[in-house]
Amino acid sequence: MATPVLTFTDRGIYCPAGDFHIDPWRPVPRALITHGHSDHARWGMGAYLATDQALPVIRKRLGQITAEGIAYGETRRIGGAGVSFHPAGHVPGSAQIKVTVGGESWVVSGDYKTEPDGLAEGFQPVPCHAFISECTFGLPIFRWEPQPQVMQRILDWWQANAAAGKTSILGAYSFGKAQRLMAGLGVHGPILTHGAVEEMTQTLRDQGYALPPTIRVTPDVTAKTHPGALAIAPPSALGSAWSARLGPVEEAFVSGWMAVRGIRRRRALGTGFVLSDHADWQGLNDAIRATGASRVFVTHGYTAPFRHWLDSQGYDAGIVETQFGDEAEAESPPDPPLAE
Amino acid sequence: MRRFAALFAALDGTTKTGAKTAALADYFRAAPEPDRVWTVALLTGRRPKRAVNSTELRLWAAEVAGIPDWLFEESYTVVGDLAETIALLLPPPATTADLTLDHAIRGLIALTGQPAEARKAAVLTAWAQLPATERFLYNKLLTGGFRMGVAQGLLTRALAQATGVEEATLAHRLMGNWDPARITFPALIAGDEGGDARPYPFALASQLEDGPQPLGPPQDWLAEWKWDGIRGQLIARPGAFALWSRGEELITDRFPDLAPLADFLPPGTVIDGEVLAWDAAAQRPHPFAQLQKRIGRKTVPKTLLAEAPARILAYDLLEDAGQDIRDQPLAHRRARLTQILAALPPGLPLAASPALAFPTWDALAETRATARAEGAEGVMLKRAASPYFQGRKRGDWWKWKLDPWTVDAVMLYAQAGHGRRANLYTDFTFGVRDGNEIVPFTKAYSGLTDAEFNEITRWVQKNTLERFGPVRKVPAELVFEIGFEGIQASPRHKSGIALRFPRMLRWRRDKGVDEIDTIDSLRALLTAAP
Ligand SMILES: [Zn+2]
Ligand SMILES: [Zn+2]
């Protein structure tokens, strides 16, 4: 039997024909990176290849690295393999990576979302023979409301808080979700940002992504100077001294996990908004069907039931153990709150 | 149900009691009156009977959602709540209708006894019209599992704000046997129904953590055993005889052996006491397990009546000759109780819970140490001057329990929790050593912090050896200190023992599996237990 296009090793997904890894979690000589979240773009690789749009965030995160950019849709040869990057719709610059060896194409999805969010480059199905798909939300209980409706809910909440003389604080991952929120809500008033969010925002703004003006919270930015404002901060800042400074406050966490009441309550936050940068159940099924692939490997999420489901739908499905979804910035199940 | 759903969301969305009270008071001012009655009913545990069983619901929901049964079960495991799982799995409603809470609940009540097709048609119609939160609440009503985290005191405060009626008066009026399907809101608030069998709200004691020294002079206090039975309130009024459990459940019929008391207690007597299964030969209570056999049954077989006759040990007198005497000092109430009991003919299943004499706190500590031999869990301390207050008020009543027995055991299986702890591993099975083997002997699911449960969850996910449905077998590595209140021989369990109130006291990261306790050390406790 011929060597497969991609194999699964303890360092990550590996292409023998091109001698490179995709999103490896241990140091390797050459790494192709789907996107800038820290469970996918890790430190210590000999050389990095990512989309031109993803590189600034990766450089910002990892510092001095040897890295090269590639345009969406451009094909490059690496050894015996042809590689190209295609929009994944997950966060700005995110890509699915297609690898072709001897006429057989495999696609690594990275993280993806099928609904356009107005900021990240829109997801495009990539025809292939084998598809390695994430399935963070691979259960039918996950069904996202369209983004405009969620934004309207958040806006209503914000305005009610403002009317009650309170600052609204949204907990959201600092790269991706935070910018998606400000892009959707910025027209309704100035938005305050936590330093971690502001740095990522500025990096993306410098690249030309259309982001509204934001105000970084410094000691002289308070509830008095900006009454009724909306602030965006990493989830770890909720309930902290940082948010107390903007008090009185109402806090809410924005994540796909907020769909489950038990998880929402565990965060000890009454309010949660369901907005995810990952595909929901329908999105996963649609995306997989659109590739035309007959073989599917699932990773990152509810892998066992999702594989079983794909099997029952006639796919040749398998599970790949990876270390994606482990990092704080990835959308893994949120840690428990500070207090009961 | 839109207004009710908004109330639920407001209560669910905050932990601040002020905000909860305000949301409830607003609701009680503005909602349609029949809906207000149902809401009070739901918040005081008066749930309509389940109209549909959960097997039917699962099947119908999987069918509507277009998924196989196994995928439904996987989803349920993650969500941890059947009503919510169904609400999440169903496709969004095509059209929405706003039915009142009253309408929804009466519709459900009408479903009981209908053929399956009729019930299915009604449920599917409701599902097709209700948006997410309403659908979740509707399912909760369907499954009879409705719970909303609102303390009784908070409810009466909100009702008092909305109606202008005093809290204490309301608390008493809400107790007892009123029927939400019949009573009107004004009648409920005015206390027009409910009859003479209505109990008073129970006074509850707080846990005494650091010993009694800070309580001041011992002579200001009365002490008695803390019995391990069912706290109850016995009502003997003209034309009414009732026994209420602390959970406000009418349990008169479960204890036919107490019925003779109706003929002998002076009319207008209300007694707070402990219902126990009595060992007449030993003159002390049977272990709780004996009483438990009787609780689950609507009718009690004769053999059980003979083997474990019920007896009430009385703590307090709340009503004397038809007068509410809860405001009088405990010492006075106890004295009246003693007089009433002394006037009863001998042989009745009712006696005063004996007062424990103690000149000093040290003397009481010595008495307390003998609690297990008496069949008690520890001692109660009540300030002699205290009134019979409502609910839990720190300061006047304390329970001073014995320290639990403990055992070091290793985790063998883990299962995800439910509700707030959905998809965290919180329910564990523990083992102790039996020769070269480790035998499972108990389950426990509480006692750790969320941070610890979270850490253990990650460990379980990484170290799973085998999966049996929602249960995961893990390597015998993590050691925990398990506390428990009692132990009994149990042929039903592989280990031969059963623990009462097992819980995790500590995660012993400092201990390895070679340091856990043995089954023999647990069996040795069997002889020490009553
Ligand atoms: Zn990601
Ligand atoms: Zn990821």
Side-chain angles (χ1 to χ4, degrees):
Chain A
M1 212 178 99
T3 326
V5 173
L6 296 173
T7 61
F8 307 109
T9 76
D10 59 357
R11 294 166 178 241
I13 301 168
Y14 178 65
C15 174
D19 189 22
F20 60 81
H21 287 79
I22 297 174
D23 290 354
W25 47 85
R26 297 222 197 113
V28 298
R30 184 196 279 273
L32 277 55
I33 304 294
T34 59
H35 67 287
H37 276 152
S38 57
D39 55 326
H40 297 260
R42 296 183 195 240
W43 187 84
M45 312 302 157
Y48 292 80
L49 179 65
T51 64
D52 296 320
Q53 288 83 344
L55 266 190
V57 166
I58 294 173
R59 286 190 196 280
K60 173 107 199 146
R61 281 233 152 108
L62 302 181
Q64 279 296 335
I65 53 170
T66 306
E68 217 182 323
I70 182 170
Y72 282 115
E74 175 191 340
T75 302
R76 269 193 212 176
R77 281 218 79 74
I78 304 179
V83 301
S84 56
F85 287 57
H86 307 269
H90 172 57
V91 292
S94 69
Q96 311 171 70
I97 299 178
K98 178 178 169 185
V99 182
T100 308
V101 178
E104 186 178 338
S105 298
W106 289 37
V107 169
V108 177
S109 77
D111 294 337
Y112 67 95
K113 161 172 105 273
T114 49
E115 187 195 15
D117 66 11
L119 189 63
E121 297 79 6
F123 176 87
Q124 287 172 10
V126 184
C128 56
H129 299 97
F131 186 47
I132 299 165
S133 175
E134 65 128 326
C135 62
T136 308
F137 292 105
L139 281 177
I141 51 173
F142 297 108
R143 183 198 314 271
W144 310 147
E145 250 187 331
Q147 173 169 308
Q149 287 173 31
V150 183
M151 292 292 180
Q152 186 60 48
R153 279 178 202 280
I154 300 177
L155 182 61
D156 293 345
W157 172 80
W158 175 14
Q159 289 174 343
N161 294 339
K166 291 176 174 174
T167 306
S168 304
I169 303 185
L170 289 177
Y173 298 110
S174 57
F175 166 44
K177 187 76 61 68
Q179 291 75 30
R180 186 177 169 192
L181 288 169
M182 59 183 73
L185 297 165
V187 292
H188 302 288
I191 288 179
L192 310 183
T193 52
H194 184 279
V197 170
E198 187 58 32
E199 285 195 17
M200 285 298 153
T201 305
Q202 193 53 48
T203 304
L204 292 170
R205 207 179 263 132
D206 292 345
Q207 283 176 254
Y209 286 102
L211 291 167
T214 47
I215 301 156
R216 184 189 191 125
V217 174
T218 53
D220 46 322
V221 173
T222 64
K224 285 222 173 61
T225 61
H226 295 79
L230 177 76
I232 302 178
S236 58
L238 296 183
S240 72
W242 183 87
S243 74
R245 269 201 336 231
L246 299 170
V249 302
E250 283 289 332
E251 301 183 325
F253 187 43
V254 187
S255 159
W257 294 105
M258 295 298 103
V260 178
R261 179 163 172 259
I263 299 176
R264 210 158 63 226
R265 287 163 68 83
R266 193 157 88 223
R267 297 283 312 190
L269 292 164
T271 315
F273 293 107
V274 185
L275 188 76
S276 177
D277 292 333
H278 294 261
D280 65 1
W281 171 258
Q282 195 59 48
L284 291 170
N285 278 281
D286 292 347
I288 290 168
R289 194 172 315 114
T291 62
S294 54
R295 291 180 75 185
V296 182
F297 297 91
V298 297
T299 181
H300 196 320
Y302 293 105
T303 48
F306 195 56
R307 187 202 72 92
H308 188 170
W309 165 256
L310 292 175
D311 258 347
S312 76
Q313 300 300 298
Y315 294 97
D316 173 7
I319 295 178
V320 185
E321 296 298 338
T322 64
Q323 292 186 8
F324 307 143
D326 274 359
E327 300 288 305
E329 281 292 314
E331 197 165 7
S332 62
D335 279 349
L338 318 138
E340 283 248 345
Chain B
M1 286 182 72
R2 204 165 294 156
R3 199 190 292 266
F4 183 65
L7 171 67
F8 176 81
L11 295 173
D12 203 37
T14 181
T15 49
K16 297 175 189 120
T17 49
K20 287 191 187 213
T21 315
L24 271 168
D26 283 349
Y27 179 86
F28 286 127
R29 284 187 199 104
E33 284 195 349
D35 284 15
R36 295 184 213 174
V37 173
W38 284 114
T39 301
V40 175
L42 292 171
L43 292 178
T44 52
R46 289 170 178 80
R47 302 189 282 264
K49 282 211 194 71
R50 62 161 59 197
V52 175
N53 70 45
S54 66
T55 316
E56 290 175 319
L57 275 185
R58 290 155 122 108
L59 287 175
W60 301 343
E63 184 188 317
V64 177
I67 57 168
D69 295 348
W70 67 264
L71 190 51
F72 182 93
E73 294 305 319
E74 287 281 355
S75 300
Y76 179 33
T77 305
V78 169
V79 177
D81 179 286
L82 184 63
E84 187 188 354
T85 307
I86 293 173
L88 289 171
L89 284 173
L90 297 174
T95 55
T96 59
D98 189 20
L99 56 164
T100 64
L101 182 62
D102 183 52
H103 190 91
I105 294 180
R106 284 182 192 278
L108 290 181
I109 293 172
L111 284 186
T112 38
Q114 297 277 323
E117 311 84 74
R119 285 180 290 132
K120 180 177 178 183
V123 169
L124 263 52
T125 307
W127 280 348
Q129 298 178 346
L130 293 171
T133 310
E134 280 96 318
R135 198 186 260 168
F136 165 66
L137 294 171
Y138 178 79
N139 291 343
K140 280 286 185 197
L141 295 172
L142 264 181
T143 54
F146 191 90
R147 244 171 232 102
M148 207 139 103
V150 173
Q152 212 71 269
L154 206 152
L155 169 66
T156 42
R157 197 172 320 142
L159 269 176
Q161 284 176 14
T163 60
V165 180
E166 212 186 304
E167 269 182 60
T169 313
L170 277 171
H172 188 200
R173 284 176 186 169
L174 294 187
M175 294 196 81
N177 221 0
W178 52 275
D179 180 356
R182 300 217 173 131
I183 201 168
T184 64
F185 186 69
L188 175 64
I189 295 306
D192 286 351
E193 233 179 274
D196 283 324
R198 214 160 31 193
Y200 295 101
F202 280 81
L204 304 175
S206 312
Q207 187 90 29
L208 187 65
E209 305 286 358
D210 305 320
Q213 297 298 346
L215 299 182
Q219 57 271 24
D220 290 354
W221 295 82
L222 298 180
E224 61 198 334
W225 292 118
K226 182 179 183 332
W227 300 110
D228 185 15
I230 300 172
R231 179 92 180 273
Q233 206 177 112
L234 187 70
I235 313 268
R237 296 191 185 117
F241 177 75
L243 178 64
W244 294 90
S245 76
R246 214 193 86 184
E248 248 191 85
E249 204 191 340
L250 199 52
I251 52 173
T252 327
D253 298 342
R254 314 277 168 92
F255 297 97
D257 26 6
L258 299 178
L261 293 171
D263 301 330
F264 294 102
L265 282 168
T269 303
V270 176
I271 286 170
D272 176 355
E274 195 90 5
V275 184
L276 296 158
W278 194 251
D279 183 344
Q283 282 297 302
R284 69 171 193 200
H286 280 299
F288 185 78
Q290 284 290 80
L291 189 62
Q292 207 163 24
K293 285 188 198 162
R294 299 190 46 164
I295 303 171
R297 307 180 190 238
K298 281 259 145 76
T299 52
V300 188
K302 282 223 169 68
T303 47
L304 206 52
L305 282 176
E307 192 185 307
R311 185 179 185 82
I312 296 181
L313 292 186
Y315 295 133
D316 210 330
L317 183 71
L318 315 187
E319 194 174 301
D320 185 7
Q323 289 294 322
D324 176 356
I325 59 163
R326 292 176 298 157
D327 283 345
Q328 304 198 15
L330 172 63
H332 172 82
R333 301 197 308 271
R334 280 289 299 211
R336 279 297 300 145
L337 175 70
T338 314
Q339 284 169 356
I340 290 175
L341 297 181
L344 294 177
L348 287 175
L350 173 65
S353 178
L356 304 172
F358 62 105
T360 63
W361 292 124
D362 286 347
L364 184 64
E366 275 173 37
T367 308
R368 168 175 169 266
T370 67
R372 276 199 183 103
E374 298 290 333
E377 297 181 290
V379 297
M380 298 290 304
L381 279 167
K382 296 173 180 172
R383 198 183 290 279
S386 62
Y388 191 91
F389 49 88
Q390 275 179 44
R392 206 180 298 279
K393 247 180 217 136
R394 281 182 81 79
D396 281 350
W397 285 24
W398 299 96
K399 48 185 172 189
W400 190 25
K401 294 184 24 168
L402 287 178
D403 294 331
W405 279 323
T406 67
V407 57
D408 286 336
V410 68
M411 187 206 291
L412 299 176
Y413 300 94
Q415 185 171 355
H418 285 270
R420 209 178 67 83
R421 290 186 155 153
N423 94 11
L424 266 192
Y425 284 88
T426 56
D427 300 12
F428 309 139
T429 300
F430 295 97
V432 286
R433 194 167 291 284
D434 183 7
N436 290 327
E437 283 180 58
I438 293 177
V439 285
F441 74 106
T442 193
K443 285 186 174 193
Y445 51 85
S446 62
L448 300 183
T449 64
D450 274 355
E452 285 172 322
F453 277 129
N454 191 59
E455 189 180 343
I456 292 167
T457 295
R458 284 171 194 267
W459 183 86
V460 169
Q461 281 162 347
K462 287 203 180 99
N463 291 282
T464 299
L465 299 174
E466 257 181 282
R467 290 183 66 160
F468 315 93
V471 177
R472 292 178 176 220
K473 182 179 161 85
V474 295
E477 285 176 20
L478 305 190
V479 176
F480 296 82
E481 184 178 323
I482 311 293
F484 54 97
E485 304 292 334
I487 183 166
Q488 275 211 291
S490 166
R492 285 191 302 118
H493 292 86
K494 196 178 164 192
S495 61
I497 54 163
L499 303 187
R500 177 147 162 76
F501 290 141
R503 69 236 182 237
M504 288 170 267
L505 297 180
R506 274 190 296 165
W507 180 2
R508 296 299 305 255
R509 296 168 193 261
D510 55 320
K511 288 203 171 182
V513 66
D514 49 323
E515 294 171 273
I516 62 175
D517 284 307
T518 64
I519 191 74
D520 288 338
S521 63
L522 278 169
R523 287 192 185 125
L525 295 176
L526 282 174
T527 49

